[in-house]
Amino acid sequence: MTDRVLILDFGSQVTQLIARRVREAGVYCEILPFNIDPARLEIFDPKAVILSGGPASVTQETTPRAPDEVFHLGVPVLGICYGMQTMTAQLGGKVETSDHQEFGRAFLEIAEDCRLFEGVWGQGERHQVWMSHGDRVLSLAPGFVSVGRSEGAPCAAVADDQKRYYGVQFHPEVMHTPDGARLLANFVRRIAGCTGDWTMAAFREQAIAQIRAQVGDGKVICGLSGGVDSSVAAVLIHEAVGDQLTCIFVDHGLLRAGEAEQVVEVFRDAYNIPLVARDASALFLGKLEGVMDPEQKRKIIGSTFIDVFEEEAAKIGGADFLAQGTLYPDVIESVSFTGGPSVTIKSHHNVGGLPARMRLKLVEPLRELFKDEVRALGRELGLPEKLVGRHPFPGPGLAIRMPGTVTREKAEILRKADAIYLDEIRKAGLYDAIWQAFAVLLPVKTVGVMGDARSYDHVCALRAVTSTDGMTAESYPFDHDFLSRTATRIINEVRGINRVVYDVTSKPPGTIEWE
């Protein structure tokens, strides 16, 4: 059995990054709420436990605490930020509100050597870390020693090498702590003794066996968008159960140029997967006519998709299972201690709910994976790179890249501009360096001069961002020649646009763009 690490979530915005770093070390892990049932904790049987950060203060009596059973498992424990503070308090130390908060970049002085720092940092060295705390450890729990300090925290890192308990006030999981991934790898590989044998090849084998065991002789239908998640899920399931799977692809008229044709080419022609392709663009665009509110657009697209999908599923008949490309971040959000369960269909519309009348059991073979892991699995399955490496494209598609009313004419204008933009990015060899790029048709028109005549046409905005996790993003620094060349092509080749602008805003956590 593969070694497993348990991450208990106390509500940090970056808890998912802990899991990503652990998996990058080749170790399987899961995130569960801090208030996990002790019985489930025993069943999980972790080789190590990591306590995440969180927004609460240990100085308040009613704030979250780790289950006491964590400290009786006999396995290593690592507390990060709030996780360090609650571990300290629960094991007999004291935490106080600090008069010197630390948010952002800070520097850690290594006061003592310990196993957590072994091979990474040495005594007397000074290293950059990322802090986010208003409380600090005042006195250590019995058995602990302070192994690191910062300007605002005299006990910024603590260790009990005998019990293999460690605490860090900083966040090793974020990129702003340059050596953080190595510290986490040290913890799970050297201290916890995990073998690091969790690979995509091993996951593929295991997932296929699980799908066969779950489905048996049943029939599966899958809502296919042509995006990375649903595509990988479909190919994986088809490898497991063959023609027991039928995919349903709904063209809602808001796809990028050539996407509908690509779906048919890849799945029906290359993989020979049974595929029902329905052009419902007239229906979707008709229902969106005159609708301005972006949230209303989402609901209309979601509910219409479900109606069309259900119609096509009824024609197939006899289905027992519905396949979804649910990813691990979706699962984490649905079991967060601040939220509840979700039955959202994770397909290309990403809104709406699963109608109870469909009476289908779910098959979610990707629910343990992050996005980058899904891409790795897609390559393991032999999917073409143009699909596996595709930029994220949100469910409502062009509808949320078109503030204001949605029309077929505007969708075609935007589709052409977007295709030119991506073509120029690929020609410049920049596609893989950019996390997401897209064109937006703004709900304004400007007067311009085209040749010897005035024009009154749309403004097109271009957006490109870099990101490691999709939570935060920075605009990509195109040079002037690229932007000038791209703008000239769009204006010359797309009737209806006479001005192009580039969006240079960054994206803080949790924001939604262009809605």
Side-chain angles (χ1 to χ4, degrees):
M1 182 179 176
T2 300
D3 296 329
R4 305 204 294 178
V5 169
L6 175 62
I7 301 167
L8 293 184
D9 182 19
F10 288 89
S12 169
Q13 293 184 75
V14 291
T15 299
Q16 291 184 26
L17 295 185
I18 304 173
R20 288 173 63 91
R21 302 295 168 255
V22 171
R23 292 187 179 188
E24 285 166 6
V27 177
Y28 180 72
C29 64
E30 289 187 21
I31 299 172
L32 293 174
F34 74 92
N35 54 355
I36 180 175
D37 186 324
R40 189 175 180 188
L41 183 66
E42 187 175 341
I43 292 170
F44 189 89
D45 190 27
K47 287 207 71 172
V49 176
I50 299 176
L51 311 177
S52 85
S57 172
V58 173
T59 61
Q60 305 296 315
E61 291 184 6
T62 58
T63 50
R65 297 291 187 269
D68 290 335
E69 289 79 4
V70 164
F71 305 109
H72 299 290
L73 292 172
V75 302
V77 180
L78 171 64
I80 296 174
C81 198
Y82 181 88
M84 167 186 169
Q85 294 167 3
T86 192
M87 179 169 66
T88 297
Q90 289 180 241
L91 295 179
K94 188 174 181 181
V95 177
E96 66 173 0
T97 300
S98 176
D99 56 4
H100 188 142
Q101 301 179 101
E102 288 181 305
F103 292 94
R105 188 175 65 171
F107 289 90
L108 181 76
E109 295 180 18
I110 309 304
E112 299 283 347
D113 289 327
C114 71
R115 292 181 65 189
L116 184 65
F117 296 161
E118 188 176 349
V120 183
W121 292 337
Q123 184 176 356
E125 295 178 357
R126 188 169 180 263
H127 294 275
Q128 178 184 315
V129 296
W130 192 259
M131 295 282 194
S132 181
H133 69 97
D135 293 344
R136 66 180 182 184
V137 173
L138 177 63
S139 60
L140 298 174
F144 282 84
V145 295
S146 177
V147 294
R149 55 178 172 264
S150 66
E151 187 177 348
C155 299
V158 299
D160 181 340
D161 273 331
Q162 185 175 351
K163 290 183 177 178
R164 298 183 297 170
Y165 291 171
Y166 303 90
V168 292
Q169 188 62 73
F170 56 91
H171 287 271
E173 68 272 30
V174 302
M175 301 299 289
H176 302 85
T177 300
D179 293 317
R182 295 172 63 198
L183 289 177
L184 288 169
N186 241 6
F187 177 71
V188 297
R189 296 289 297 276
R190 291 187 181 181
I191 296 173
C194 296
T195 56
D197 60 354
W198 194 71
T199 64
M200 276 305 112
F203 177 86
R204 173 186 180 179
E205 220 174 284
Q206 178 186 3
I208 289 172
Q210 289 176 343
I211 292 166
R212 287 173 178 164
Q214 180 184 5
V215 172
D217 297 327
K219 293 176 66 175
V220 186
I221 54 173
C222 175
L224 186 65
S225 70
V228 177
D229 306 339
S230 64
S231 297
V232 173
V235 173
L236 181 66
I237 293 169
H238 186 254
E239 190 166 307
V241 298
D243 289 352
Q244 291 170 240
L245 168 72
T246 300
C247 291
I248 299 174
F249 169 66
V250 179
D251 181 356
H252 48 42
L254 298 164
L255 298 168
R256 281 174 157 165
E259 284 186 335
E261 294 80 5
Q262 185 187 65
V263 169
V264 174
E265 176 190 341
V266 171
F267 293 92
R268 182 181 289 164
D269 300 340
Y271 279 89
N272 200 30
I273 296 176
L275 173 66
V276 174
R278 165 83 176 270
D279 182 357
S281 55
L283 175 64
F284 279 84
L285 292 170
K287 291 197 173 189
L288 289 168
E289 186 176 355
V291 179
M292 301 283 287
D293 180 70
E295 191 57 33
Q296 190 62 24
K297 290 181 193 176
R298 278 183 173 274
K299 290 178 180 177
I300 289 171
I301 294 170
S303 61
T304 306
F305 173 87
I306 291 171
D307 291 344
V308 174
F309 185 88
E310 195 173 6
E311 285 176 18
E312 297 303 324
K315 293 176 186 176
I316 297 169
D320 306 289
F321 297 89
L322 172 67
Q324 295 186 174
T326 306
L327 302 192
Y328 196 43
D330 304 320
V331 177
I332 295 167
E333 289 164 10
S334 71
V335 300
S336 168
F337 72 88
T338 59
S342 169
V343 291
T344 301
I345 292 180
K346 304 295 180 183
S347 56
H348 69 275
H349 54 90
N350 203 31
V351 288
L354 176 63
R357 62 179 177 272
M358 292 181 74
R359 296 180 181 178
L360 298 175
K361 291 169 279 190
L362 290 177
V363 179
E364 298 173 308
L366 310 181
R367 62 182 283 115
E368 297 176 353
L369 302 183
F370 288 101
K371 190 78 170 187
D372 56 331
E373 295 168 337
V374 173
R375 295 189 196 280
L377 177 59
R379 295 183 181 100
E380 178 73 26
L381 291 164
L383 278 161
E385 188 60 34
K386 64 181 179 180
L387 196 156
V388 174
R390 176 186 171 193
H391 290 174
F393 192 52
L398 298 180
I400 62 168
R401 307 299 185 223
M402 195 188 310
T405 57
V406 175
T407 67
R408 187 178 292 274
E409 178 191 14
K410 286 169 66 177
E412 191 56 32
I413 291 171
L414 178 55
R415 205 176 343 260
K416 290 178 180 178
D418 188 73
I420 291 170
Y421 181 35
L422 293 180
D423 182 53
E424 287 296 325
I425 287 174
R426 288 191 175 94
K427 284 179 177 176
L430 298 174
Y431 191 84
D432 292 337
I434 293 169
W435 184 75
Q436 184 183 54
F438 53 84
V440 178
L441 198 66
L442 299 181
V444 294
K445 289 187 175 184
T446 62
V447 176
V449 176
M450 308 283 283
D452 296 322
R454 291 188 182 278
S455 68
Y456 184 61
D457 285 320
H458 294 281
V459 177
C460 174
L462 305 179
R463 176 83 160 135
V465 295
T466 59
S467 179
T468 56
D469 48 42
M471 296 178 63
T472 60
E474 293 290 339
S475 60
Y476 186 82
F478 288 122
D479 61 39
H480 181 268
D481 288 345
F482 174 89
L483 292 173
S484 177
R485 182 170 63 252
T486 303
T488 299
R489 273 197 66 188
I490 290 173
I491 291 171
N492 287 346
E493 298 178 32
V494 184
R495 290 189 178 276
I497 293 176
N498 69 3
R499 190 175 303 275
V500 177
V501 298
Y502 183 58
D503 174 14
V504 296
T505 56
S506 61
K507 175 189 172 186
T511 59
I512 299 176
E513 299 177 81
W514 293 107
E515 290 195 284

